[in-house]
Amino acid sequence: MDAKTVAPITHKRTKKRRIALRALGIIIGALLVAVGLEIFLVPNNIIDGGVTGVSIMASKLTGGPLGLFLFLLNLPFLLIGYKQIGKTFAVSTLFGVVVMSVGTNYLHHVPSLTDDLLLSAVFGGIIIGIGVGLVIRAGGSLDGTEIVAILMTRKSPFSVGEMVMFFNIFILGSAGFIFGWDRAMYSL
């Protein structure tokens, strides 16, 4: 065989492997976020920031499933991400949001590992942070506010982290009215 017949096969195999590794990273990351939410934060009335936090509040106020709100409230941002950032990012994000939403639905009836608010906030935050990091590293996102922040930083002197923090101040402030100010402070 000459080099021309070997190269395309190797390239396809490498591309499939890269896609499989990205998908695995998104699955593991999204499931970690679901665990952090349903095993630590949500049962203790502690919220996360961004669209996830808004989804938790909507679920609490309506009694509807968290996974449904996570999916529905992220959809408009997915469309924006598709148009402004690209197809690969949007598909990766959609996949991650679906896995996270389904994961929260399956884990909803699993009891919290602790009733201690500080332990819940710390361990829930660590697990969610690792999960979000894996998804971002794999080329996706799990929260629509990150998409908006990415787009806003293109025309702003602020970083993505600063923009997300700005959004979260309003979201966590709103949580104070729903869950109480002590829970909003734990959410920080």
Coordinates of all heavy atoms in Angstrom, one line a residue, residues 68-126:
L68 N -37.2 19.3 32.6 CA -37.9 20.0 31.6 C -37.6 21.5 31.5 O -37.4 22.0 30.4 CB -39.4 19.8 31.9 CG -40.4 20.4 30.9 CD1 -40.2 19.8 29.5 CD2 -41.8 20.3 31.3
F69 N -37.5 22.1 32.6 CA -37.1 23.6 32.6 C -35.7 23.8 32.1 O -35.4 24.7 31.4 CB -37.3 24.2 34.0 CG -38.8 24.4 34.4 CD1 -39.3 23.6 35.4 CD2 -39.5 25.3 33.8 CE1 -40.7 23.8 35.7 CE2 -40.9 25.5 34.1 CZ -41.4 24.7 35.1
L70 N -34.8 22.9 32.5 CA -33.4 23.0 32.0 C -33.4 22.9 30.5 O -32.7 23.7 29.9 CB -32.5 21.9 32.6 CG -32.2 22.0 34.1 CD1 -31.6 20.7 34.6 CD2 -31.2 23.1 34.3
F71 N -34.1 22.0 29.9 CA -34.2 21.9 28.5 C -34.8 23.1 27.8 O -34.3 23.7 26.9 CB -34.9 20.6 28.1 CG -34.9 20.3 26.6 CD1 -33.7 20.0 26.0 CD2 -36.0 20.5 25.9 CE1 -33.7 19.8 24.6 CE2 -36.1 20.4 24.5 CZ -34.9 20.0 23.9
L72 N -36.1 23.4 28.3 CA -36.8 24.4 27.6 C -36.2 25.8 27.7 O -36.2 26.6 26.7 CB -38.3 24.5 28.2 CG -39.1 23.3 27.8 CD1 -40.5 23.4 28.5 CD2 -39.3 23.1 26.3
L73 N -35.7 26.2 28.9 CA -35.1 27.5 29.1 C -33.8 27.7 28.4 O -33.4 28.8 28.1 CB -35.0 27.8 30.6 CG -36.3 28.0 31.3 CD1 -36.1 28.3 32.8 CD2 -37.2 29.0 30.7
N74 N -33.1 26.6 28.1 CA -31.8 26.7 27.3 C -32.0 26.7 25.8 O -31.1 27.1 25.1 CB -30.9 25.5 27.7 CG -30.1 25.8 28.9 OD1 -29.3 26.7 28.9 ND2 -30.2 25.0 29.9
L75 N -33.2 26.3 25.3 CA -33.4 26.3 23.9 C -33.2 27.6 23.1 O -32.5 27.6 22.1 CB -34.8 25.7 23.6 CG -35.0 24.2 23.6 CD1 -36.5 23.9 23.2 CD2 -34.1 23.5 22.6
P76 N -33.7 28.7 23.6 CA -33.4 29.9 22.9 C -31.9 30.3 22.8 O -31.5 30.8 21.8 CB -34.2 31.0 23.7 CG -35.1 30.3 24.6 CD -34.6 28.9 24.7
F77 N -31.2 30.0 23.8 CA -29.8 30.2 23.8 C -29.0 29.3 22.9 O -28.0 29.6 22.3 CB -29.2 30.1 25.3 CG -29.9 31.1 26.2 CD1 -30.8 30.7 27.1 CD2 -29.6 32.5 26.1 CE1 -31.4 31.6 28.0 CE2 -30.1 33.4 27.0 CZ -31.1 32.9 27.9
L78 N -29.6 28.1 22.8 CA -29.0 27.1 21.8 C -29.1 27.6 20.4 O -28.2 27.5 19.6 CB -29.6 25.7 21.9 CG -29.3 24.9 23.2 CD1 -30.2 23.7 23.3 CD2 -27.8 24.4 23.0
L79 N -30.2 28.2 20.1 CA -30.4 28.7 18.7 C -29.5 29.9 18.5 O -28.9 30.0 17.4 CB -31.9 29.2 18.6 CG -32.9 28.0 18.6 CD1 -34.3 28.6 18.5 CD2 -32.7 27.1 17.4
I80 N -29.3 30.8 19.5 CA -28.4 31.9 19.4 C -27.0 31.4 19.2 O -26.2 31.8 18.3 CB -28.5 32.8 20.6 CG1 -29.9 33.5 20.7 CG2 -27.4 33.8 20.6 CD1 -30.2 34.2 22.0
G81 N -26.6 30.4 20.0 CA -25.3 29.8 19.9 C -25.0 29.1 18.5 O -24.0 29.3 17.9
Y82 N -26.1 28.5 17.9 CA -26.0 27.9 16.6 C -25.7 29.0 15.6 O -24.8 28.8 14.7 CB -27.2 27.1 16.3 CG -27.2 26.6 14.9 CD1 -26.5 25.4 14.6 CD2 -28.0 27.2 13.9 CE1 -26.5 24.9 13.3 CE2 -28.0 26.6 12.6 CZ -27.3 25.5 12.3 OH -27.2 25.0 11.1
K83 N -26.4 30.1 15.6 CA -26.3 31.1 14.6 C -25.0 31.9 14.8 O -24.4 32.3 13.8 CB -27.5 32.1 14.7 CG -28.8 31.5 14.2 CD -29.9 32.4 14.3 CE -31.2 31.8 13.8 NZ -32.3 32.7 13.9
Q84 N -24.6 32.2 16.1 CA -23.5 33.1 16.3 C -22.1 32.4 16.5 O -21.1 33.0 16.2 CB -23.8 34.0 17.5 CG -25.0 34.8 17.4 CD -24.8 35.9 16.3 OE1 -23.7 36.5 16.2 NE2 -25.8 36.2 15.5
I85 N -22.1 31.2 17.1 CA -20.9 30.5 17.4 C -20.6 29.4 16.5 O -19.4 29.2 16.0 CB -20.9 30.0 18.9 CG1 -21.1 31.2 19.8 CG2 -19.6 29.3 19.2 CD1 -21.2 30.9 21.3
G86 N -21.6 28.6 16.1 CA -21.4 27.5 15.2 C -22.1 26.2 15.5 O -22.6 26.0 16.6
K87 N -22.2 25.4 14.4 CA -23.0 24.2 14.5 C -22.4 23.2 15.5 O -23.1 22.6 16.3 CB -23.0 23.5 13.1 CG -23.8 22.3 13.0 CD -23.8 21.7 11.6 CE -24.5 20.4 11.6 NZ -24.5 19.8 10.2
T88 N -21.1 23.0 15.5 CA -20.4 22.0 16.4 C -20.7 22.4 17.8 O -21.0 21.5 18.6 CB -18.9 21.9 16.1 OG1 -18.8 21.6 14.7 CG2 -18.3 20.9 16.9
F89 N -20.5 23.6 18.2 CA -20.7 24.1 19.5 C -22.2 23.9 19.9 O -22.5 23.4 21.0 CB -20.4 25.6 19.6 CG -20.7 26.2 21.0 CD1 -19.9 25.9 22.1 CD2 -21.8 27.0 21.2 CE1 -20.2 26.5 23.3 CE2 -22.2 27.5 22.4 CZ -21.3 27.3 23.5
A90 N -23.1 24.2 19.0 CA -24.6 24.1 19.3 C -25.0 22.6 19.5 O -25.7 22.3 20.4 CB -25.4 24.8 18.2
V91 N -24.5 21.8 18.6 CA -24.8 20.3 18.8 C -24.2 19.8 20.1 O -24.9 19.0 20.8 CB -24.3 19.6 17.5 CG1 -24.4 18.1 17.8 CG2 -25.1 20.0 16.3
S92 N -23.0 20.1 20.4 CA -22.3 19.7 21.6 C -23.1 20.2 22.8 O -23.3 19.4 23.8 CB -20.9 20.2 21.7 OG -20.1 19.6 20.6
T93 N -23.6 21.4 22.8 CA -24.3 22.0 23.9 C -25.7 21.4 24.0 O -26.1 21.0 25.1 CB -24.4 23.5 23.7 OG1 -23.1 24.1 23.7 CG2 -25.3 24.2 24.8
L94 N -26.4 21.2 22.9 CA -27.7 20.5 22.9 C -27.5 19.1 23.5 O -28.3 18.7 24.4 CB -28.3 20.4 21.5 CG -29.6 19.6 21.4 CD1 -30.7 20.3 22.2 CD2 -30.0 19.5 19.9
F95 N -26.5 18.4 23.1 CA -26.3 17.0 23.6 C -26.1 17.1 25.2 O -26.7 16.3 25.9 CB -25.1 16.4 22.9 CG -24.7 15.0 23.4 CD1 -25.7 14.0 23.3 CD2 -23.5 14.7 23.8 CE1 -25.4 12.7 23.7 CE2 -23.1 13.4 24.3 CZ -24.1 12.4 24.2
G96 N -25.2 18.0 25.6 CA -25.0 18.1 27.0 C -26.2 18.5 27.8 O -26.5 18.0 28.9
V97 N -27.0 19.4 27.3 CA -28.2 19.9 28.0 C -29.2 18.7 28.1 O -29.9 18.5 29.1 CB -28.8 21.1 27.3 CG1 -30.2 21.4 27.8 CG2 -28.0 22.3 27.5
V98 N -29.3 17.9 27.0 CA -30.2 16.8 27.0 C -29.8 15.7 28.1 O -30.6 15.3 28.9 CB -30.4 16.1 25.6 CG1 -31.0 14.7 25.7 CG2 -31.1 17.0 24.7
V99 N -28.5 15.4 28.1 CA -28.0 14.5 29.1 C -28.2 15.0 30.5 O -28.6 14.2 31.4 CB -26.5 14.2 28.8 CG1 -25.9 13.3 30.0 CG2 -26.3 13.4 27.5
M100 N -27.9 16.3 30.7 CA -28.1 16.9 32.1 C -29.6 16.8 32.5 O -29.9 16.5 33.6 CB -27.6 18.3 32.1 CG -27.8 19.0 33.4 SD -27.2 20.7 33.4 CE -28.2 21.5 32.2
S101 N -30.5 17.2 31.5 CA -31.9 17.2 31.8 C -32.4 15.8 32.1 O -33.2 15.6 33.1 CB -32.7 17.8 30.6 OG -32.3 19.1 30.4
V102 N -32.1 14.8 31.4 CA -32.5 13.4 31.6 C -31.9 12.9 32.9 O -32.6 12.3 33.7 CB -32.1 12.5 30.4 CG1 -32.3 11.1 30.8 CG2 -32.9 12.9 29.2
G103 N -30.6 13.3 33.2 CA -30.0 12.9 34.4 C -30.7 13.4 35.6 O -30.9 12.7 36.6
T104 N -31.1 14.7 35.6 CA -31.8 15.3 36.7 C -33.1 14.6 37.0 O -33.6 14.4 38.1 CB -32.0 16.8 36.6 OG1 -32.7 17.1 35.4 CG2 -30.7 17.5 36.6
N105 N -33.8 14.2 35.9 CA -35.1 13.5 36.0 C -34.9 12.2 36.7 O -35.7 11.8 37.5 CB -35.8 13.4 34.7 CG -36.5 14.7 34.2 OD1 -36.8 15.5 35.1 ND2 -36.7 14.8 33.0
Y106 N -33.9 11.4 36.3 CA -33.7 10.1 36.9 C -33.2 10.2 38.4 O -33.5 9.3 39.2 CB -32.6 9.3 36.1 CG -33.3 8.6 34.9 CD1 -32.9 9.0 33.6 CD2 -34.2 7.6 35.1 CE1 -33.5 8.4 32.5 CE2 -34.8 7.0 34.0 CZ -34.4 7.4 32.7 OH -35.0 6.8 31.6
L107 N -32.5 11.3 38.7 CA -31.9 11.4 40.0 C -32.8 12.2 41.0 O -32.5 12.3 42.2 CB -30.6 12.1 40.0 CG -29.4 11.3 39.3 CD1 -28.2 12.2 39.1 CD2 -29.0 10.1 40.1
H108 N -33.9 12.7 40.5 CA -34.8 13.5 41.3 C -35.2 12.8 42.6 O -35.3 13.5 43.7 CB -36.0 14.0 40.5 CG -36.9 14.9 41.3 ND1 -36.4 16.2 41.7 CD2 -38.1 14.8 41.9 CE1 -37.4 16.8 42.4 NE2 -38.4 15.9 42.5
H109 N -35.5 11.6 42.6 CA -36.0 10.9 43.8 C -34.9 10.3 44.7 O -35.2 9.6 45.7 CB -37.1 9.8 43.4 CG -38.3 10.5 42.8 ND1 -39.1 11.3 43.4 CD2 -38.7 10.4 41.5 CE1 -40.1 11.7 42.6 NE2 -39.8 11.2 41.4
V110 N -33.7 10.4 44.3 CA -32.6 10.0 45.1 C -32.4 10.9 46.3 O -32.3 12.1 46.1 CB -31.3 9.9 44.2 CG1 -30.1 9.5 45.1 CG2 -31.4 8.9 43.1
P111 N -32.3 10.4 47.5 CA -32.2 11.3 48.6 C -30.8 12.0 48.7 O -29.8 11.5 48.2 CB -32.3 10.4 49.8 CG -32.0 9.0 49.3 CD -32.4 9.0 47.9
S112 N -30.9 13.2 49.2 CA -29.6 14.0 49.4 C -28.6 13.2 50.3 O -29.0 12.5 51.2 CB -30.0 15.3 50.1 OG -28.8 16.1 50.3
L113 N -27.4 13.4 50.0 CA -26.3 12.7 50.8 C -26.1 13.4 52.1 O -25.6 12.8 53.1 CB -25.0 12.7 50.1 CG -25.0 11.7 48.9 CD1 -23.6 11.7 48.2 CD2 -25.3 10.3 49.3
T114 N -26.5 14.7 52.3 CA -26.4 15.4 53.5 C -27.4 16.5 53.6 O -27.9 17.0 52.6 CB -25.0 16.0 53.7 OG1 -24.9 16.7 54.9 CG2 -24.7 17.0 52.5
D115 N -27.8 16.8 54.9 CA -28.7 17.9 55.1 C -28.0 19.1 55.6 O -28.6 20.2 55.7 CB -29.8 17.5 56.2 CG -30.7 16.4 55.7 OD1 -31.0 16.3 54.5 OD2 -31.2 15.6 56.5
D116 N -26.7 19.0 55.7 CA -25.8 20.1 56.1 C -25.7 21.1 54.9 O -25.2 20.7 53.9 CB -24.5 19.6 56.6 CG -23.6 20.7 57.1 OD1 -23.1 21.5 56.3 OD2 -23.4 20.8 58.4
L117 N -26.1 22.3 55.1 CA -26.1 23.2 54.0 C -24.7 23.6 53.5 O -24.5 23.7 52.3 CB -26.8 24.5 54.4 CG -28.3 24.4 54.8 CD1 -28.9 25.7 55.2 CD2 -29.1 23.8 53.6
L118 N -23.8 23.7 54.4 CA -22.4 24.0 54.0 C -21.8 22.9 53.2 O -21.2 23.1 52.1 CB -21.5 24.4 55.2 CG -20.1 24.8 54.8 CD1 -20.1 26.0 53.9 CD2 -19.3 25.1 56.1
L119 N -22.0 21.7 53.7 CA -21.5 20.5 52.9 C -22.1 20.4 51.6 O -21.5 20.1 50.6 CB -21.7 19.2 53.7 CG -20.8 19.0 54.9 CD1 -21.2 17.7 55.7 CD2 -19.3 18.9 54.5
S120 N -23.4 20.6 51.5 CA -24.2 20.5 50.3 C -23.7 21.6 49.3 O -23.5 21.3 48.1 CB -25.7 20.7 50.5 OG -26.2 19.7 51.2
A121 N -23.5 22.8 49.7 CA -23.0 23.9 48.9 C -21.6 23.6 48.4 O -21.3 23.7 47.2 CB -23.1 25.2 49.6
V122 N -20.7 23.1 49.3 CA -19.3 22.9 48.9 C -19.2 21.7 47.9 O -18.6 21.8 46.8 CB -18.4 22.7 50.1 CG1 -17.1 22.2 49.7 CG2 -18.3 24.0 50.9
F123 N -19.8 20.6 48.3 CA -19.6 19.4 47.5 C -20.4 19.5 46.2 O -20.0 19.1 45.1 CB -19.9 18.1 48.3 CG -18.8 17.7 49.2 CD1 -18.8 18.1 50.5 CD2 -17.7 17.0 48.7 CE1 -17.7 17.8 51.3 CE2 -16.6 16.7 49.5 CZ -16.6 17.1 50.8
G124 N -21.6 20.1 46.3 CA -22.4 20.3 45.1 C -21.7 21.2 44.1 O -21.6 20.9 42.9
G125 N -21.1 22.3 44.6 CA -20.3 23.2 43.8 C -19.1 22.6 43.2 O -18.8 22.8 42.0
I126 N -18.4 21.8 43.9 CA -17.2 21.1 43.4 C -17.6 20.1 42.3 O -17.0 20.1 41.2 CB -16.4 20.4 44.5 CG1 -15.8 21.4 45.4 CG2 -15.4 19.4 43.9 CD1 -15.2 20.8 46.7

